[in-house]
Amino acid sequence: MLPKFVRSTRRQFLNRLGAVSLASSLPLGRLFTPSATRVFAAPQSFAMHTFKNRMPLASSAFYPLPLGSIRPTGWLLDQLKIQANGLGGHLDETWADVSPSSGWLGGMGESWERGPYFIDGLIPLAWMLDDARLKAKAQRFIDWTLDHQAENGMIGPSSNNDWWPRIVMLKALTQYQELTGDPRVIPAMEKYLHHQLGELPTRPLRDWGKFRWQDELISVVWLYNRTGSPWLLDLARLLHAQGYNWQSQYADFHYTQRITRDYLKLEENDNGLKDLALSTHGVNNAQAIKAGPAWSLVSGSSVDRAAILQMISELDKYHGLPNGMFSCDEHLAGRDPSQGSELCSVVEYMFSLEHALAITGDASLGDRLERLAFNALPGAFTDDMWAHQYNQEPNQVECSLHQKPWTTDGPESNLYGLEPNFGCCTANFHQGWPKFANSLIMLSGDQNNDAHDGLVVAAYAPCEARTNIRGTNVYLIQETSYPFRGTVRLTVNPAAPLAFPLQLRIPAWAAGTAITVNGQSIPAPSPSSFARIERTWREGDRVEIAFPMAPRISHWFHDSAAVERGPLVFSYGIGESWVKLRDRDMTADWQVFPSSQWNYALKVNTNASDDAISIHEHEFSGQVFSASHSPIELEVRARKLIDWCAEDGAANTLPQSPVVSDQPEETIRLIPYAAAKLRVTAFPQLKT
Ligand SMILES: [Zn+2]
């Protein structure tokens, strides 16, 4: 199955690129015996070093700190523990696809994406919690992969040679290497990628790999920054050349309508993998969000770097939902808030934003990341994270066996369960929280000059970061109950007095944010930017941020209204009746039926903050996204709309606002989107 003529194939490829001199000047032994391991020091000191982009790659605005530098605390630590105590820490014990029968453990079972998906999130989770049990689970997949690399460099189960699952495994390997410094990883990656460089000209990217090429590009850049092997840039260019052109799709965007089975002619395609289906596929688009910025590192083009803003803008315009997602159930599905979004697309959108935020330094990408992390991500799980949805809806009035309203998904799509509709999300959801935690603090600085290095608070949640700036250890503490409260306290602790810039992301909604440094106010920062504080920092220096937390109204499909406060979106929590559909070994599949009416129209002001919405803060309990323990709730005036009802498990199309109602005015309670497992988020707005 594997090619016999890797060397000649590679030479042919280099000839085609006009790189004959490179091919002939590099001894083949150098190509096949990478010497990368020599650049690594002991894991402990290595973990402190943040790699910047190596020339001739373009500079990034910021650089993610190596995994292990950031530890979540407070409610975020609680959330990771909930994940570890739920399905996230036990999946291999109850689901055959990542059990010892996995092909990625040498078994005869599932041998495609699910093993790599699982450890792509399990690795950062296990090490962030310093949990030996979870580390051992992840280590088995890593060891099998490294111990069974083929002579020609191929990795993974020999039952398939698809590039796509190996793209996921590369993401897992890079994280594992950052955490452990395991000297086997870099040579194994070089050997595999060199094999792929030789193979791609005759066995090009196809199907999922063709549409998800940018996810391999980030691992190739990661490796190039560590080894400097020039052929890795040839591989980067080849991935771009063979990969789907997402920028061109969004430069002239045609997929502005709900994409149906008929439109895709799915019944005529026996495998559903035609380009039309793949280019309108939700998860593919979520992964593609990072394509422009990631490629801009190689191309040096500012147009490529900015392409992400055009992509997000088009997705919002035609498919945007109040939870920060675009609809995809599982193809692009329009703006109706009864449409769903697949959980894989939530975690992949987050991962794309984390990378793109670092590359571009665009504050709006941090706003979107928080919107997804604090709303759409937890909204797809039960409080204990033992069950999840495939599709979640902003207006989710019933979770039951029904076909409406999904474009191409099946009738189990919004059940809470082990593997509703399809098992990809079961394997892939694990990366959401841990990678978000690792993206809270980043390094800023020039590519070739450490003199201007500094720290960036890219997103807000409780954590501690330990890093190193120009040889001085810096311990940064972020204490906050954000997003449930509006204050953030940072304590900067350099080991010795040290001058560097500290940049703080100011969200677009945060006009009026106040910042003090050791009690002294600094000039008001601009929304949608990074406030920059340059000073010589000394141990114990305090920065306090007070965000304005007045409720706001945003407008959506048919001029409906959603209530927001900070990065949280609020929903009316419909009464829930949970009915077990079937046991699934350690967990179960659940339907949820409404036990109260939900057809409210809101009486709110259209513009700016709304004094008529009252705020009620409650104590923290450890389950911040639970309806029964929510640290925050709002009260708002509303009237029922008797004509607005549900059909086949989905709320009927929202009436165009403004609306009138002769029903009595009531006060209703709104809770965070993620806490309401049955919910209305986009409301008709009453005429004032
Ligand atoms: Zn999925």
Side-chain angles (χ1 to χ4, degrees):
M1 181 185 300
L2 298 171
K4 295 172 186 161
F5 305 110
V6 173
R7 293 180 186 186
S8 61
T9 306
R10 169 182 154 69
R11 191 171 294 274
Q12 288 161 2
F13 164 66
L14 290 170
N15 280 335
R16 272 225 322 275
L17 288 178
V20 180
S21 61
L22 172 65
S24 55
S25 65
L26 287 175
L28 286 171
R30 167 71 181 80
L31 296 174
F32 287 93
T33 315
S35 53
T37 50
R38 70 170 183 260
V39 305
F40 295 107
Q44 199 168 12
S45 60
F46 172 72
M48 302 293 286
H49 181 71
T50 303
F51 282 85
K52 296 179 184 171
N53 295 339
R54 184 191 285 259
M55 296 293 284
L57 294 178
S59 188
S60 292
F62 313 138
Y63 295 92
L65 299 180
L67 261 175
S69 307
I70 299 176
R71 298 266 179 196
T73 58
W75 73 258
L76 185 56
L77 178 60
D78 291 340
Q79 198 60 42
L80 289 187
K81 288 178 178 173
I82 290 170
Q83 179 171 331
N85 292 331
L87 197 56
H90 296 279
L91 186 62
D92 57 320
E93 301 161 33
T94 193
W95 198 51
D97 286 355
V98 297
S99 75
S101 70
S102 164
W104 288 91
L105 292 172
M108 301 297 286
E110 206 276 345
S111 300
W112 196 48
E113 66 185 11
R114 294 186 179 179
Y117 265 161
F118 178 43
I119 64 165
D120 186 37
L122 180 62
I123 288 170
L125 178 73
W127 268 264
M128 276 181 182
L129 294 178
D130 195 21
D131 185 320
R133 181 181 71 91
L134 298 185
K135 287 180 187 176
K137 288 172 183 249
Q139 189 75 46
R140 289 187 311 175
F141 285 87
I142 294 289
D143 286 345
W144 185 88
T145 302
L146 296 176
D147 290 346
H148 293 81
Q149 185 164 28
E151 192 62 30
N152 66 4
M154 192 62 167
I155 58 170
S158 58
S159 58
N160 75 78
N161 65 357
D162 189 355
W163 300 120
W164 159 242
R166 291 158 176 89
I167 292 176
V168 186
M169 182 51 82
L170 290 172
K171 290 197 299 172
L173 286 170
T174 59
Q175 296 181 84
Y176 167 77
Q177 198 280 341
E178 289 184 5
L179 288 161
T180 65
D182 187 329
R184 298 174 297 168
V185 176
I186 302 265
M189 284 180 65
E190 281 221 321
K191 190 174 177 185
Y192 167 71
L193 291 174
H194 193 266
H195 163 70
Q196 188 189 30
L197 176 63
E199 185 95 334
L200 278 174
T202 52
R203 195 167 70 76
L205 296 176
R206 60 189 291 265
D207 304 335
W208 304 104
K210 173 181 168 184
F211 285 80
R212 298 173 175 181
W213 61 273
Q214 64 283 328
D215 283 80
E216 176 161 342
L217 177 60
I218 61 176
S219 293
V220 171
V221 166
W222 181 95
L223 189 59
Y224 178 74
N225 287 340
R226 284 155 178 78
T227 69
S229 300
W231 56 267
L232 284 167
L233 300 184
D234 298 334
L235 177 59
R237 294 185 191 98
L238 190 56
L239 292 169
H240 176 256
Q242 293 190 355
Y244 184 70
N245 190 337
W246 288 105
Q247 276 176 244
S248 142
Q249 170 162 318
Y250 279 89
D252 183 18
F253 190 57
H254 292 295
Y255 305 126
T256 59
Q257 304 294 321
R258 189 170 176 272
I259 304 295
T260 62
R261 297 184 76 86
D262 288 346
Y263 181 83
L264 295 174
K265 297 185 169 54
L266 280 189
E267 318 308 335
E268 298 170 27
N269 299 338
D270 47 8
N271 60 10
L273 294 180
K274 294 290 190 288
D275 278 7
L276 180 60
L278 289 166
S279 61
T280 56
H281 184 272
V283 186
N284 286 353
N285 277 271
Q287 294 186 228
I289 296 268
K290 70 174 92 54
W295 175 242
S296 78
L297 298 179
V298 181
S299 72
S301 160
S302 58
V303 174
D304 294 338
R305 189 164 291 205
I308 184 171
L309 301 178
Q310 168 79 1
M311 279 193 74
I312 292 175
S313 166
E314 295 289 313
L315 285 168
D316 283 349
K317 185 174 176 184
Y318 298 108
H319 306 286
L321 298 174
N323 56 11
M325 282 301 301
F326 53 89
S327 62
C328 50
D329 55 23
E330 73 183 43
H331 293 84
L332 300 176
R335 295 178 66 230
D336 188 323
S338 288
Q339 297 297 145
S341 301
E342 182 188 337
L343 178 52
C344 278
S345 64
V346 176
V347 296
E348 294 292 357
Y349 198 169
M350 288 176 61
F351 181 61
S352 288
L353 289 165
E354 289 155 7
H355 266 273
L357 170 58
I359 294 168
T360 64
D362 188 309
S364 73
L365 303 181
D367 293 8
R368 181 61 62 113
L369 175 61
E370 288 186 353
R371 196 175 183 95
L372 296 179
F374 301 145
N375 300 285
L377 175 66
F381 293 93
T382 52
D383 294 353
D384 60 7
M385 291 189 78
W386 268 101
H388 72 272
Q389 297 179 292
Y390 190 87
N391 286 338
Q392 64 178 290
E393 305 153 274
N395 285 1
Q396 180 166 280
V397 302
E398 184 173 310
C399 298
S400 63
L401 293 165
H402 60 259
Q403 189 57 55
K404 189 186 174 187
W406 321 126
T407 53
T408 52
D409 285 330
E412 295 199 8
S413 292
N414 76 347
L415 268 52
Y416 286 86
L418 172 67
E419 49 178 349
N421 192 55
F422 194 66
C424 51
C425 307
T426 311
N428 193 15
F429 77 72
H430 310 268
Q431 64 173 316
W433 282 122
K435 291 186 184 177
F436 174 71
N438 199 61
S439 304
L440 297 170
I441 312 290
M442 297 183 182
L443 184 83
S444 64
D446 290 351
Q447 186 173 13
N448 301 308
N449 182 357
D450 292 346
H452 306 295
D453 282 3
L455 292 178
V456 181
V457 183
Y460 296 96
C463 70
E464 304 173 348
R466 289 175 176 81
T467 187
N468 187 287
I469 297 177
R470 296 194 301 279
T472 300
N473 288 341
V474 179
Y475 173 41
L476 178 70
I477 305 169
Q478 182 179 179
E479 295 172 283
T480 185
S481 296
Y482 186 95
F484 308 97
R485 304 288 189 270
T487 56
V488 177
R489 178 198 281 172
L490 302 167
T491 308
V492 188
N493 296 299
L498 185 68
F500 66 87
L502 176 66
Q503 297 187 67
L504 312 173
R505 196 187 106 255
I506 309 299
W509 49 262
T513 294
I515 301 176
T516 62
V517 179
N518 293 334
Q520 302 291 312
S521 294
I522 66 168
S526 302
S528 271
S529 72
F530 286 85
R532 185 181 176 99
I533 307 171
E534 295 225 36
R535 70 195 313 267
T536 298
W537 299 97
R538 291 179 167 76
E539 185 175 5
D541 280 348
R542 289 272 177 88
V543 177
E544 298 206 347
I545 310 167
F547 290 117
M549 298 301 272
R552 311 182 307 278
I553 306 299
S554 56
H555 287 98
W556 303 89
F557 183 66
H558 285 183
D559 294 324
S560 55
V563 181
E564 307 181 21
R565 180 177 186 258
L568 287 177
V569 181
F570 284 77
S571 303
Y572 175 67
I574 302 168
E576 299 167 9
S577 173
W578 289 69
V579 178
K580 190 186 286 185
L581 179 66
R582 58 176 89 89
D583 284 312
R584 300 298 301 261
D585 192 32
M586 294 175 78
T587 183
D589 295 338
W590 297 88
Q591 300 189 84
V592 194
F593 295 95
S595 62
S596 68
Q597 290 187 285
W598 49 262
N599 49 339
Y600 287 105
L602 293 192
K603 182 183 178 186
V604 290
N605 294 325
T606 298
N607 297 314
S609 60
D610 193 325
D611 297 337
I613 300 174
S614 57
I615 302 166
H616 302 274
E617 295 185 337
H618 305 296
E619 288 185 5
F620 282 70
S621 74
Q623 283 197 331
V624 291
F625 297 108
S626 163
S628 54
H629 299 92
S630 179
I632 175 84
E633 61 182 55
L634 307 178
E635 284 185 341
V636 62
R637 303 290 284 170
R639 293 176 193 264
K640 288 200 180 85
L641 274 187
I642 52 175
D643 292 337
W644 187 32
C645 49
E647 213 172 289
D648 191 19
N652 281 345
T653 302
L654 276 164
Q656 175 69 45
S657 291
V659 296
V660 294
S661 169
D662 58 4
Q663 297 297 298
E665 194 168 301
E666 304 174 49
T667 296
I668 62 170
R669 189 176 79 122
L670 305 183
I671 55 176
Y673 171 96
K677 307 310 177 191
L678 293 185
R679 64 177 84 91
V680 174
T681 310
F683 296 87
Q685 186 171 350
L686 289 168
K687 191 170 187 174
T688 52

